[in-house]
Structure formats: C-alpha cells, structure tokens
PDB file of all heavy atoms in Angstrom:
ATOM      1  N   GLU A   1     -18.437 -28.238 -24.141  1.00 52.00           N
ATOM      2  CA  GLU A   1     -19.302 -27.069 -24.150  1.00 52.00           C
ATOM      3  C   GLU A   1     -20.711 -27.460 -24.582  1.00 52.00           C
ATOM      4  O   GLU A   1     -20.906 -28.259 -25.496  1.00 52.00           O
ATOM      5  CB  GLU A   1     -18.733 -26.011 -25.092  1.00 52.00           C
ATOM      6  CG  GLU A   1     -17.380 -25.461 -24.656  1.00 52.00           C
ATOM      7  CD  GLU A   1     -16.881 -24.382 -25.591  1.00 52.00           C
ATOM      8  OE1 GLU A   1     -17.609 -24.079 -26.561  1.00 52.00           O
ATOM      9  OE2 GLU A   1     -15.799 -23.852 -25.356  1.00 52.00           O
ATOM     10  N   LYS A   2     -21.711 -26.891 -23.906  1.00 74.00           N
ATOM     11  CA  LYS A   2     -23.103 -27.203 -24.195  1.00 74.00           C
ATOM     12  C   LYS A   2     -23.645 -26.394 -25.370  1.00 74.00           C
ATOM     13  O   LYS A   2     -24.632 -26.772 -25.978  1.00 74.00           O
ATOM     14  CB  LYS A   2     -23.955 -26.963 -22.958  1.00 74.00           C
ATOM     15  CG  LYS A   2     -23.690 -27.955 -21.822  1.00 74.00           C
ATOM     16  CD  LYS A   2     -24.064 -29.367 -22.235  1.00 74.00           C
ATOM     17  CE  LYS A   2     -23.889 -30.333 -21.078  1.00 74.00           C
ATOM     18  NZ  LYS A   2     -24.252 -31.717 -21.455  1.00 74.00           N
ATOM     19  N   ASP A   3     -23.042 -25.260 -25.668  1.00 81.00           N
ATOM     20  CA  ASP A   3     -23.501 -24.465 -26.790  1.00 81.00           C
ATOM     21  C   ASP A   3     -22.327 -23.726 -27.430  1.00 81.00           C
ATOM     22  O   ASP A   3     -21.312 -23.463 -26.792  1.00 81.00           O
ATOM     23  CB  ASP A   3     -24.592 -23.473 -26.358  1.00 81.00           C
ATOM     24  CG  ASP A   3     -24.230 -22.745 -25.079  1.00 81.00           C
ATOM     25  OD1 ASP A   3     -23.075 -22.866 -24.627  1.00 81.00           O
ATOM     26  OD2 ASP A   3     -25.091 -22.056 -24.535  1.00 81.00           O
ATOM     27  N   ARG A   4     -22.478 -23.435 -28.703  1.00 86.00           N
ATOM     28  CA  ARG A   4     -21.456 -22.746 -29.466  1.00 86.00           C
ATOM     29  C   ARG A   4     -22.111 -21.669 -30.316  1.00 86.00           C
ATOM     30  O   ARG A   4     -23.254 -21.815 -30.760  1.00 86.00           O
ATOM     31  CB  ARG A   4     -20.690 -23.718 -30.360  1.00 86.00           C
ATOM     32  CG  ARG A   4     -19.825 -24.735 -29.614  1.00 86.00           C
ATOM     33  CD  ARG A   4     -19.171 -25.680 -30.592  1.00 86.00           C
ATOM     34  NE  ARG A   4     -20.172 -26.507 -31.258  1.00 86.00           N
ATOM     35  CZ  ARG A   4     -19.990 -27.090 -32.455  1.00 86.00           C
ATOM     36  NH1 ARG A   4     -18.874 -26.899 -33.102  1.00 86.00           N
ATOM     37  NH2 ARG A   4     -20.938 -27.851 -32.972  1.00 86.00           N
ATOM     38  N   PHE A   5     -21.355 -20.611 -30.567  1.00 89.00           N
ATOM     39  CA  PHE A   5     -21.872 -19.494 -31.353  1.00 89.00           C
ATOM     40  C   PHE A   5     -20.944 -19.240 -32.526  1.00 89.00           C
ATOM     41  O   PHE A   5     -19.721 -19.206 -32.365  1.00 89.00           O
ATOM     42  CB  PHE A   5     -22.008 -18.243 -30.487  1.00 89.00           C
ATOM     43  CG  PHE A   5     -22.463 -17.025 -31.249  1.00 89.00           C
ATOM     44  CD1 PHE A   5     -23.776 -16.913 -31.671  1.00 89.00           C
ATOM     45  CD2 PHE A   5     -21.583 -15.995 -31.532  1.00 89.00           C
ATOM     46  CE1 PHE A   5     -24.207 -15.806 -32.374  1.00 89.00           C
ATOM     47  CE2 PHE A   5     -22.001 -14.879 -32.225  1.00 89.00           C
ATOM     48  CZ  PHE A   5     -23.314 -14.781 -32.649  1.00 89.00           C
ATOM     49  N   GLN A   6     -21.524 -19.079 -33.713  1.00 91.00           N
ATOM     50  CA  GLN A   6     -20.765 -18.795 -34.922  1.00 91.00           C
ATOM     51  C   GLN A   6     -21.419 -17.637 -35.658  1.00 91.00           C
ATOM     52  O   GLN A   6     -22.648 -17.486 -35.624  1.00 91.00           O
ATOM     53  CB  GLN A   6     -20.717 -20.026 -35.844  1.00 91.00           C
ATOM     54  CG  GLN A   6     -20.135 -21.273 -35.195  1.00 91.00           C
ATOM     55  CD  GLN A   6     -20.321 -22.502 -36.067  1.00 91.00           C
ATOM     56  OE1 GLN A   6     -21.111 -22.503 -37.010  1.00 91.00           O
ATOM     57  NE2 GLN A   6     -19.573 -23.548 -35.761  1.00 91.00           N
ATOM     58  N   GLU A   7     -20.610 -16.830 -36.315  1.00 93.00           N
ATOM     59  CA  GLU A   7     -21.146 -15.739 -37.120  1.00 93.00           C
ATOM     60  C   GLU A   7     -20.374 -15.650 -38.425  1.00 93.00           C
ATOM     61  O   GLU A   7     -19.183 -15.983 -38.490  1.00 93.00           O
ATOM     62  CB  GLU A   7     -21.093 -14.409 -36.360  1.00 93.00           C
ATOM     63  CG  GLU A   7     -19.743 -14.027 -35.817  1.00 93.00           C
ATOM     64  CD  GLU A   7     -19.804 -12.760 -35.003  1.00 93.00           C
ATOM     65  OE1 GLU A   7     -20.911 -12.233 -34.758  1.00 93.00           O
ATOM     66  OE2 GLU A   7     -18.734 -12.269 -34.618  1.00 93.00           O
ATOM     67  N   GLU A   8     -21.066 -15.194 -39.453  1.00 93.00           N
ATOM     68  CA  GLU A   8     -20.476 -15.162 -40.790  1.00 93.00           C
ATOM     69  C   GLU A   8     -21.073 -14.002 -41.570  1.00 93.00           C
ATOM     70  O   GLU A   8     -22.275 -13.707 -41.464  1.00 93.00           O
ATOM     71  CB  GLU A   8     -20.742 -16.486 -41.510  1.00 93.00           C
ATOM     72  CG  GLU A   8     -20.226 -16.544 -42.930  1.00 93.00           C
ATOM     73  CD  GLU A   8     -20.635 -17.827 -43.628  1.00 93.00           C
ATOM     74  OE1 GLU A   8     -21.624 -18.449 -43.178  1.00 93.00           O
ATOM     75  OE2 GLU A   8     -19.976 -18.198 -44.620  1.00 93.00           O
ATOM     76  N   LEU A   9     -20.254 -13.342 -42.365  1.00 93.00           N
ATOM     77  CA  LEU A   9     -20.702 -12.252 -43.236  1.00 93.00           C
ATOM     78  C   LEU A   9     -20.230 -12.539 -44.648  1.00 93.00           C
ATOM     79  O   LEU A   9     -19.043 -12.753 -44.886  1.00 93.00           O
ATOM     80  CB  LEU A   9     -20.155 -10.905 -42.765  1.00 93.00           C
ATOM     81  CG  LEU A   9     -20.363  -9.717 -43.715  1.00 93.00           C
ATOM     82  CD1 LEU A   9     -21.840  -9.485 -43.977  1.00 93.00           C
ATOM     83  CD2 LEU A   9     -19.700  -8.463 -43.151  1.00 93.00           C
ATOM     84  N   VAL A  10     -21.186 -12.582 -45.578  1.00 91.00           N
ATOM     85  CA  VAL A  10     -20.877 -12.795 -46.990  1.00 91.00           C
ATOM     86  C   VAL A  10     -21.272 -11.541 -47.757  1.00 91.00           C
ATOM     87  O   VAL A  10     -22.425 -11.099 -47.683  1.00 91.00           O
ATOM     88  CB  VAL A  10     -21.631 -14.023 -47.548  1.00 91.00           C
ATOM     89  CG1 VAL A  10     -21.360 -14.173 -49.043  1.00 91.00           C
ATOM     90  CG2 VAL A  10     -21.228 -15.281 -46.798  1.00 91.00           C
ATOM     91  N   ILE A  11     -20.316 -10.976 -48.487  1.00 91.00           N
ATOM     92  CA  ILE A  11     -20.559  -9.789 -49.311  1.00 91.00           C
ATOM     93  C   ILE A  11     -20.326 -10.160 -50.763  1.00 91.00           C
ATOM     94  O   ILE A  11     -19.271 -10.693 -51.107  1.00 91.00           O
ATOM     95  CB  ILE A  11     -19.643  -8.625 -48.894  1.00 91.00           C
ATOM     96  CG1 ILE A  11     -19.900  -8.254 -47.429  1.00 91.00           C
ATOM     97  CG2 ILE A  11     -19.878  -7.415 -49.798  1.00 91.00           C
ATOM     98  CD1 ILE A  11     -18.995  -7.157 -46.922  1.00 91.00           C
ATOM     99  N   ARG A  12     -21.330  -9.883 -51.598  1.00 90.00           N
ATOM    100  CA  ARG A  12     -21.247 -10.297 -52.993  1.00 90.00           C
ATOM    101  C   ARG A  12     -21.682  -9.154 -53.903  1.00 90.00           C
ATOM    102  O   ARG A  12     -22.784  -8.621 -53.755  1.00 90.00           O
ATOM    103  CB  ARG A  12     -22.142 -11.509 -53.227  1.00 90.00           C
ATOM    104  CG  ARG A  12     -22.056 -12.078 -54.633  1.00 90.00           C
ATOM    105  CD  ARG A  12     -22.974 -13.282 -54.758  1.00 90.00           C
ATOM    106  NE  ARG A  12     -24.378 -12.902 -54.707  1.00 90.00           N
ATOM    107  CZ  ARG A  12     -25.393 -13.770 -54.687  1.00 90.00           C
ATOM    108  NH1 ARG A  12     -25.139 -15.063 -54.667  1.00 90.00           N
ATOM    109  NH2 ARG A  12     -26.641 -13.344 -54.644  1.00 90.00           N
ATOM    110  N   PRO A  13     -20.833  -8.756 -54.853  1.00 90.00           N
ATOM    111  CA  PRO A  13     -21.253  -7.740 -55.827  1.00 90.00           C
ATOM    112  C   PRO A  13     -22.217  -8.358 -56.832  1.00 90.00           C
ATOM    113  O   PRO A  13     -22.046  -9.513 -57.258  1.00 90.00           O
ATOM    114  CB  PRO A  13     -19.939  -7.332 -56.497  1.00 90.00           C
ATOM    115  CG  PRO A  13     -19.033  -8.502 -56.326  1.00 90.00           C
ATOM    116  CD  PRO A  13     -19.425  -9.153 -55.024  1.00 90.00           C
ATOM    117  N   LEU A  14     -23.244  -7.622 -57.204  1.00 87.00           N
ATOM    118  CA  LEU A  14     -24.250  -8.103 -58.142  1.00 87.00           C
ATOM    119  C   LEU A  14     -24.031  -7.500 -59.522  1.00 87.00           C
ATOM    120  O   LEU A  14     -23.370  -6.456 -59.671  1.00 87.00           O
ATOM    121  CB  LEU A  14     -25.651  -7.758 -57.624  1.00 87.00           C
ATOM    122  CG  LEU A  14     -25.987  -8.271 -56.209  1.00 87.00           C
ATOM    123  CD1 LEU A  14     -27.360  -7.779 -55.783  1.00 87.00           C
ATOM    124  CD2 LEU A  14     -25.910  -9.787 -56.154  1.00 87.00           C
ATOM    125  N   HIS A  15     -24.594  -8.146 -60.533  1.00 84.00           N
ATOM    126  CA  HIS A  15     -24.409  -7.689 -61.911  1.00 84.00           C
ATOM    127  C   HIS A  15     -25.006  -6.293 -62.122  1.00 84.00           C
ATOM    128  O   HIS A  15     -24.567  -5.556 -63.005  1.00 84.00           O
ATOM    129  CB  HIS A  15     -25.040  -8.677 -62.890  1.00 84.00           C
ATOM    130  CG  HIS A  15     -24.382 -10.023 -62.889  1.00 84.00           C
ATOM    131  ND1 HIS A  15     -23.070 -10.213 -63.271  1.00 84.00           N
ATOM    132  CD2 HIS A  15     -24.850 -11.252 -62.542  1.00 84.00           C
ATOM    133  CE1 HIS A  15     -22.755 -11.496 -63.182  1.00 84.00           C
ATOM    134  NE2 HIS A  15     -23.820 -12.154 -62.729  1.00 84.00           N
ATOM    135  N   SER A  16     -26.007  -5.944 -61.313  1.00 83.00           N
ATOM    136  CA  SER A  16     -26.659  -4.646 -61.458  1.00 83.00           C
ATOM    137  C   SER A  16     -25.814  -3.505 -60.906  1.00 83.00           C
ATOM    138  O   SER A  16     -26.174  -2.342 -61.072  1.00 83.00           O
ATOM    139  CB  SER A  16     -28.016  -4.667 -60.752  1.00 83.00           C
ATOM    140  OG  SER A  16     -27.846  -4.942 -59.364  1.00 83.00           O
ATOM    141  N   GLY A  17     -24.706  -3.832 -60.228  1.00 86.00           N
ATOM    142  CA  GLY A  17     -23.886  -2.805 -59.602  1.00 86.00           C
ATOM    143  C   GLY A  17     -24.198  -2.627 -58.130  1.00 86.00           C
ATOM    144  O   GLY A  17     -23.507  -1.887 -57.434  1.00 86.00           O
ATOM    145  N   ASP A  18     -25.218  -3.331 -57.640  1.00 87.00           N
ATOM    146  CA  ASP A  18     -25.558  -3.286 -56.224  1.00 87.00           C
ATOM    147  C   ASP A  18     -24.650  -4.243 -55.438  1.00 87.00           C
ATOM    148  O   ASP A  18     -23.905  -5.043 -56.018  1.00 87.00           O
ATOM    149  CB  ASP A  18     -27.024  -3.675 -56.014  1.00 87.00           C
ATOM    150  CG  ASP A  18     -27.972  -2.766 -56.775  1.00 87.00           C
ATOM    151  OD1 ASP A  18     -27.772  -1.549 -56.719  1.00 87.00           O
ATOM    152  OD2 ASP A  18     -28.890  -3.293 -57.435  1.00 87.00           O
ATOM    153  N   THR A  19     -24.738  -4.164 -54.131  1.00 89.00           N
ATOM    154  CA  THR A  19     -23.945  -5.018 -53.252  1.00 89.00           C
ATOM    155  C   THR A  19     -24.871  -5.799 -52.336  1.00 89.00           C
ATOM    156  O   THR A  19     -25.757  -5.232 -51.710  1.00 89.00           O
ATOM    157  CB  THR A  19     -22.965  -4.187 -52.399  1.00 89.00           C
ATOM    158  OG1 THR A  19     -22.108  -3.454 -53.272  1.00 89.00           O
ATOM    159  CG2 THR A  19     -22.120  -5.098 -51.511  1.00 89.00           C
ATOM    160  N   TYR A  20     -24.645  -7.104 -52.277  1.00 91.00           N
ATOM    161  CA  TYR A  20     -25.466  -7.989 -51.446  1.00 91.00           C
ATOM    162  C   TYR A  20     -24.665  -8.390 -50.213  1.00 91.00           C
ATOM    163  O   TYR A  20     -23.516  -8.840 -50.324  1.00 91.00           O
ATOM    164  CB  TYR A  20     -25.844  -9.230 -52.262  1.00 91.00           C
ATOM    165  CG  TYR A  20     -26.624 -10.283 -51.520  1.00 91.00           C
ATOM    166  CD1 TYR A  20     -28.000 -10.192 -51.389  1.00 91.00           C
ATOM    167  CD2 TYR A  20     -25.982 -11.386 -50.968  1.00 91.00           C
ATOM    168  CE1 TYR A  20     -28.723 -11.163 -50.725  1.00 91.00           C
ATOM    169  CE2 TYR A  20     -26.701 -12.374 -50.304  1.00 91.00           C
ATOM    170  CZ  TYR A  20     -28.062 -12.251 -50.191  1.00 91.00           C
ATOM    171  OH  TYR A  20     -28.774 -13.211 -49.535  1.00 91.00           O
ATOM    172  N   ALA A  21     -25.245  -8.197 -49.031  1.00 90.00           N
ATOM    173  CA  ALA A  21     -24.588  -8.559 -47.772  1.00 90.00           C
ATOM    174  C   ALA A  21     -25.494  -9.493 -46.990  1.00 90.00           C
ATOM    175  O   ALA A  21     -26.673  -9.198 -46.777  1.00 90.00           O
ATOM    176  CB  ALA A  21     -24.280  -7.316 -46.948  1.00 90.00           C
ATOM    177  N   SER A  22     -24.955 -10.621 -46.562  1.00 91.00           N
ATOM    178  CA  SER A  22     -25.710 -11.610 -45.798  1.00 91.00           C
ATOM    179  C   SER A  22     -25.000 -11.869 -44.480  1.00 91.00           C
ATOM    180  O   SER A  22     -23.866 -12.348 -44.460  1.00 91.00           O
ATOM    181  CB  SER A  22     -25.841 -12.914 -46.594  1.00 91.00           C
ATOM    182  OG  SER A  22     -26.495 -13.911 -45.823  1.00 91.00           O
ATOM    183  N   PHE A  23     -25.682 -11.536 -43.366  1.00 92.00           N
ATOM    184  CA  PHE A  23     -25.169 -11.787 -42.022  1.00 92.00           C
ATOM    185  C   PHE A  23     -25.804 -13.073 -41.500  1.00 92.00           C
ATOM    186  O   PHE A  23     -27.025 -13.212 -41.531  1.00 92.00           O
ATOM    187  CB  PHE A  23     -25.526 -10.641 -41.068  1.00 92.00           C
ATOM    188  CG  PHE A  23     -24.845  -9.334 -41.382  1.00 92.00           C
ATOM    189  CD1 PHE A  23     -25.277  -8.539 -42.435  1.00 92.00           C
ATOM    190  CD2 PHE A  23     -23.773  -8.884 -40.621  1.00 92.00           C
ATOM    191  CE1 PHE A  23     -24.667  -7.330 -42.722  1.00 92.00           C
ATOM    192  CE2 PHE A  23     -23.159  -7.682 -40.896  1.00 92.00           C
ATOM    193  CZ  PHE A  23     -23.597  -6.901 -41.958  1.00 92.00           C
ATOM    194  N   GLN A  24     -24.984 -14.008 -41.012  1.00 92.00           N
ATOM    195  CA  GLN A  24     -25.487 -15.253 -40.467  1.00 92.00           C
ATOM    196  C   GLN A  24     -24.968 -15.437 -39.038  1.00 92.00           C
ATOM    197  O   GLN A  24     -23.768 -15.355 -38.802  1.00 92.00           O
ATOM    198  CB  GLN A  24     -25.046 -16.447 -41.322  1.00 92.00           C
ATOM    199  CG  GLN A  24     -25.594 -16.440 -42.740  1.00 92.00           C
ATOM    200  CD  GLN A  24     -27.079 -16.761 -42.806  1.00 92.00           C
ATOM    201  OE1 GLN A  24     -27.609 -17.452 -41.932  1.00 92.00           O
ATOM    202  NE2 GLN A  24     -27.751 -16.264 -43.824  1.00 92.00           N
ATOM    203  N   PHE A  25     -25.901 -15.685 -38.118  1.00 92.00           N
ATOM    204  CA  PHE A  25     -25.549 -15.927 -36.716  1.00 92.00           C
ATOM    205  C   PHE A  25     -26.148 -17.274 -36.312  1.00 92.00           C
ATOM    206  O   PHE A  25     -27.358 -17.478 -36.441  1.00 92.00           O
ATOM    207  CB  PHE A  25     -26.088 -14.822 -35.810  1.00 92.00           C
ATOM    208  CG  PHE A  25     -25.622 -13.441 -36.195  1.00 92.00           C
ATOM    209  CD1 PHE A  25     -26.370 -12.654 -37.069  1.00 92.00           C
ATOM    210  CD2 PHE A  25     -24.441 -12.926 -35.693  1.00 92.00           C
ATOM    211  CE1 PHE A  25     -25.949 -11.394 -37.433  1.00 92.00           C
ATOM    212  CE2 PHE A  25     -24.009 -11.664 -36.046  1.00 92.00           C
ATOM    213  CZ  PHE A  25     -24.763 -10.886 -36.919  1.00 92.00           C
ATOM    214  N   ARG A  26     -25.313 -18.188 -35.816  1.00 91.00           N
ATOM    215  CA  ARG A  26     -25.782 -19.535 -35.493  1.00 91.00           C
ATOM    216  C   ARG A  26     -25.401 -19.893 -34.061  1.00 91.00           C
ATOM    217  O   ARG A  26     -24.279 -19.657 -33.630  1.00 91.00           O
ATOM    218  CB  ARG A  26     -25.180 -20.568 -36.447  1.00 91.00           C
ATOM    219  CG  ARG A  26     -25.593 -20.392 -37.899  1.00 91.00           C
ATOM    220  CD  ARG A  26     -24.964 -21.481 -38.756  1.00 91.00           C
ATOM    221  NE  ARG A  26     -25.411 -21.401 -40.146  1.00 91.00           N
ATOM    222  CZ  ARG A  26     -24.790 -20.704 -41.079  1.00 91.00           C
ATOM    223  NH1 ARG A  26     -23.680 -20.045 -40.772  1.00 91.00           N
ATOM    224  NH2 ARG A  26     -25.255 -20.666 -42.314  1.00 91.00           N
ATOM    225  N   THR A  27     -26.353 -20.489 -33.358  1.00 89.00           N
ATOM    226  CA  THR A  27     -26.102 -21.014 -32.024  1.00 89.00           C
ATOM    227  C   THR A  27     -26.426 -22.496 -32.016  1.00 89.00           C
ATOM    228  O   THR A  27     -27.556 -22.892 -32.310  1.00 89.00           O
ATOM    229  CB  THR A  27     -26.961 -20.295 -30.962  1.00 89.00           C
ATOM    230  OG1 THR A  27     -26.681 -18.892 -30.990  1.00 89.00           O
ATOM    231  CG2 THR A  27     -26.637 -20.837 -29.575  1.00 89.00           C
ATOM    232  N   LEU A  28     -25.443 -23.317 -31.711  1.00 85.00           N
ATOM    233  CA  LEU A  28     -25.630 -24.763 -31.563  1.00 85.00           C
ATOM    234  C   LEU A  28     -25.731 -25.071 -30.082  1.00 85.00           C
ATOM    235  O   LEU A  28     -24.804 -24.779 -29.315  1.00 85.00           O
ATOM    236  CB  LEU A  28     -24.464 -25.519 -32.181  1.00 85.00           C
ATOM    237  CG  LEU A  28     -24.357 -25.458 -33.711  1.00 85.00           C
ATOM    238  CD1 LEU A  28     -23.016 -26.023 -34.162  1.00 85.00           C
ATOM    239  CD2 LEU A  28     -25.489 -26.231 -34.365  1.00 85.00           C
ATOM    240  N   TRP A  29     -26.846 -25.660 -29.670  1.00 82.00           N
ATOM    241  CA  TRP A  29     -27.079 -25.915 -28.250  1.00 82.00           C
ATOM    242  C   TRP A  29     -27.348 -27.389 -28.023  1.00 82.00           C
ATOM    243  O   TRP A  29     -28.252 -27.969 -28.607  1.00 82.00           O
ATOM    244  CB  TRP A  29     -28.271 -25.079 -27.772  1.00 82.00           C
ATOM    245  CG  TRP A  29     -28.431 -25.066 -26.283  1.00 82.00           C
ATOM    246  CD1 TRP A  29     -27.544 -25.464 -25.343  1.00 82.00           C
ATOM    247  CD2 TRP A  29     -29.588 -24.613 -25.569  1.00 82.00           C
ATOM    248  NE1 TRP A  29     -28.062 -25.289 -24.078  1.00 82.00           N
ATOM    249  CE2 TRP A  29     -29.306 -24.767 -24.200  1.00 82.00           C
ATOM    250  CE3 TRP A  29     -30.804 -24.095 -25.966  1.00 82.00           C
ATOM    251  CZ2 TRP A  29     -30.227 -24.415 -23.214  1.00 82.00           C
ATOM    252  CZ3 TRP A  29     -31.721 -23.741 -24.988  1.00 82.00           C
ATOM    253  CH2 TRP A  29     -31.424 -23.904 -23.626  1.00 82.00           C
ATOM    254  N   ASP A  30     -26.570 -28.003 -27.180  1.00 78.00           N
ATOM    255  CA  ASP A  30     -26.697 -29.429 -26.883  1.00 78.00           C
ATOM    256  C   ASP A  30     -27.701 -29.627 -25.754  1.00 78.00           C
ATOM    257  O   ASP A  30     -27.345 -29.704 -24.579  1.00 78.00           O
ATOM    258  CB  ASP A  30     -25.329 -30.002 -26.490  1.00 78.00           C
ATOM    259  CG  ASP A  30     -25.394 -31.518 -26.296  1.00 78.00           C
ATOM    260  OD1 ASP A  30     -26.446 -32.105 -26.597  1.00 78.00           O
ATOM    261  OD2 ASP A  30     -24.397 -32.100 -25.836  1.00 78.00           O
ATOM    262  N   THR A  31     -28.966 -29.697 -26.132  1.00 73.00           N
ATOM    263  CA  THR A  31     -30.038 -29.933 -25.161  1.00 73.00           C
ATOM    264  C   THR A  31     -31.174 -30.636 -25.881  1.00 73.00           C
ATOM    265  O   THR A  31     -31.127 -30.820 -27.093  1.00 73.00           O
ATOM    266  CB  THR A  31     -30.522 -28.614 -24.539  1.00 73.00           C
ATOM    267  OG1 THR A  31     -31.431 -28.895 -23.468  1.00 73.00           O
ATOM    268  CG2 THR A  31     -31.220 -27.739 -25.564  1.00 73.00           C
ATOM    269  N   ASP A  32     -32.183 -31.035 -25.157  1.00 68.00           N
ATOM    270  CA  ASP A  32     -33.279 -31.790 -25.752  1.00 68.00           C
ATOM    271  C   ASP A  32     -34.610 -31.302 -25.198  1.00 68.00           C
ATOM    272  O   ASP A  32     -35.008 -31.650 -24.099  1.00 68.00           O
ATOM    273  CB  ASP A  32     -33.112 -33.283 -25.479  1.00 68.00           C
ATOM    274  CG  ASP A  32     -34.067 -34.125 -26.316  1.00 68.00           C
ATOM    275  OD1 ASP A  32     -34.927 -33.543 -26.992  1.00 68.00           O
ATOM    276  OD2 ASP A  32     -33.942 -35.352 -26.292  1.00 68.00           O
ATOM    277  N   PHE A  33     -35.289 -30.462 -25.992  1.00 62.00           N
ATOM    278  CA  PHE A  33     -36.603 -29.985 -25.600  1.00 62.00           C
ATOM    279  C   PHE A  33     -37.682 -31.021 -25.870  1.00 62.00           C
ATOM    280  O   PHE A  33     -38.728 -31.022 -25.241  1.00 62.00           O
ATOM    281  CB  PHE A  33     -36.948 -28.705 -26.382  1.00 62.00           C
ATOM    282  CG  PHE A  33     -36.247 -27.478 -25.887  1.00 62.00           C
ATOM    283  CD1 PHE A  33     -35.190 -26.944 -26.594  1.00 62.00           C
ATOM    284  CD2 PHE A  33     -36.642 -26.852 -24.715  1.00 62.00           C
ATOM    285  CE1 PHE A  33     -34.548 -25.807 -26.153  1.00 62.00           C
ATOM    286  CE2 PHE A  33     -36.013 -25.716 -24.269  1.00 62.00           C
ATOM    287  CZ  PHE A  33     -34.959 -25.195 -24.987  1.00 62.00           C
ATOM    288  N   LEU A  34     -37.449 -31.903 -26.834  1.00 60.00           N
ATOM    289  CA  LEU A  34     -38.496 -32.822 -27.273  1.00 60.00           C
ATOM    290  C   LEU A  34     -38.862 -33.851 -26.222  1.00 60.00           C
ATOM    291  O   LEU A  34     -39.918 -34.456 -26.283  1.00 60.00           O
ATOM    292  CB  LEU A  34     -38.051 -33.526 -28.560  1.00 60.00           C
ATOM    293  CG  LEU A  34     -37.743 -32.607 -29.745  1.00 60.00           C
ATOM    294  CD1 LEU A  34     -37.397 -33.432 -30.971  1.00 60.00           C
ATOM    295  CD2 LEU A  34     -38.928 -31.685 -30.046  1.00 60.00           C
ATOM    296  N   ARG A  35     -37.984 -34.067 -25.268  1.00 60.00           N
ATOM    297  CA  ARG A  35     -38.285 -35.043 -24.216  1.00 60.00           C
ATOM    298  C   ARG A  35     -38.974 -34.418 -23.007  1.00 60.00           C
ATOM    299  O   ARG A  35     -39.151 -35.050 -21.988  1.00 60.00           O
ATOM    300  CB  ARG A  35     -36.992 -35.733 -23.769  1.00 60.00           C
ATOM    301  CG  ARG A  35     -36.363 -36.598 -24.845  1.00 60.00           C
ATOM    302  CD  ARG A  35     -35.132 -37.309 -24.315  1.00 60.00           C
ATOM    303  NE  ARG A  35     -34.514 -38.164 -25.334  1.00 60.00           N
ATOM    304  CZ  ARG A  35     -33.428 -38.879 -25.140  1.00 60.00           C
ATOM    305  NH1 ARG A  35     -32.820 -38.863 -23.947  1.00 60.00           N
ATOM    306  NH2 ARG A  35     -32.929 -39.613 -26.111  1.00 60.00           N
ATOM    307  N   GLY A  36     -39.303 -33.144 -23.129  1.00 55.00           N
ATOM    308  CA  GLY A  36     -39.987 -32.481 -22.037  1.00 55.00           C
ATOM    309  C   GLY A  36     -39.092 -32.052 -20.900  1.00 55.00           C
ATOM    310  O   GLY A  36     -39.567 -31.754 -19.804  1.00 55.00           O
ATOM    311  N   ASN A  37     -37.773 -32.048 -21.119  1.00 55.00           N
ATOM    312  CA  ASN A  37     -36.855 -31.621 -20.070  1.00 55.00           C
ATOM    313  C   ASN A  37     -36.997 -30.126 -19.814  1.00 55.00           C
ATOM    314  O   ASN A  37     -37.039 -29.326 -20.747  1.00 55.00           O
ATOM    315  CB  ASN A  37     -35.410 -31.937 -20.470  1.00 55.00           C
ATOM    316  CG  ASN A  37     -35.183 -33.431 -20.638  1.00 55.00           C
ATOM    317  OD1 ASN A  37     -35.912 -34.227 -20.061  1.00 55.00           O
ATOM    318  ND2 ASN A  37     -34.189 -33.798 -21.424  1.00 55.00           N
ATOM    319  N   LYS A  38     -37.056 -29.748 -18.574  1.00 60.00           N
ATOM    320  CA  LYS A  38     -37.171 -28.347 -18.213  1.00 60.00           C
ATOM    321  C   LYS A  38     -35.789 -27.720 -18.151  1.00 60.00           C
ATOM    322  O   LYS A  38     -34.947 -28.136 -17.360  1.00 60.00           O
ATOM    323  CB  LYS A  38     -37.880 -28.192 -16.857  1.00 60.00           C
ATOM    324  CG  LYS A  38     -38.123 -26.738 -16.488  1.00 60.00           C
ATOM    325  CD  LYS A  38     -38.887 -26.635 -15.174  1.00 60.00           C
ATOM    326  CE  LYS A  38     -39.145 -25.180 -14.819  1.00 60.00           C
ATOM    327  NZ  LYS A  38     -39.885 -25.059 -13.531  1.00 60.00           N
ATOM    328  N   VAL A  39     -35.552 -26.746 -19.019  1.00 64.00           N
ATOM    329  CA  VAL A  39     -34.258 -26.076 -19.083  1.00 64.00           C
ATOM    330  C   VAL A  39     -34.319 -24.817 -18.228  1.00 64.00           C
ATOM    331  O   VAL A  39     -35.203 -23.982 -18.401  1.00 64.00           O
ATOM    332  CB  VAL A  39     -33.897 -25.720 -20.537  1.00 64.00           C
ATOM    333  CG1 VAL A  39     -32.550 -25.016 -20.589  1.00 64.00           C
ATOM    334  CG2 VAL A  39     -33.884 -26.974 -21.396  1.00 64.00           C
TER     335      VAL A  39
END
C-alpha cells in the first residue's frame, strides 16, 4: 500500500474537573516530493 490512515482519540480527566480530548489523524504516504516528482 502506498498510503495508510490512522486515527486515535485520547480522553484524559484533569485535576480541575475538566475533560481533555485529543483527536489525532495521521496519513502515511509513500511518495517523494523532494525529488520533483509530479504526483
């Protein structure tokens, strides 16, 4: 596969009583822009 997609959600209670939520979305793409290749 040339690219992969991952997602993650972290929920953390804080000492103040609030709730912290972090959404992470990652795309890994096997290509090379630095060589000037036209995608």
Side-chain angles (χ1 to χ4, degrees):
E1 296 182 0
K2 291 296 184 180
D3 46 10
R4 293 177 294 156
F5 177 73
Q6 303 171 345
E7 54 184 6
E8 177 185 22
L9 171 60
V10 176
I11 300 177
R12 184 180 69 186
L14 304 176
H15 295 296
S16 60
D18 302 315
T19 301
Y20 176 84
S22 176
F23 293 76
Q24 296 288 333
F25 303 91
R26 296 181 176 91
T27 302
L28 291 169
W29 191 14
D30 185 7
T31 188
D32 192 353
F33 284 105
L34 301 183
R35 294 183 179 179
N37 297 336
K38 185 177 181 180
V39 180

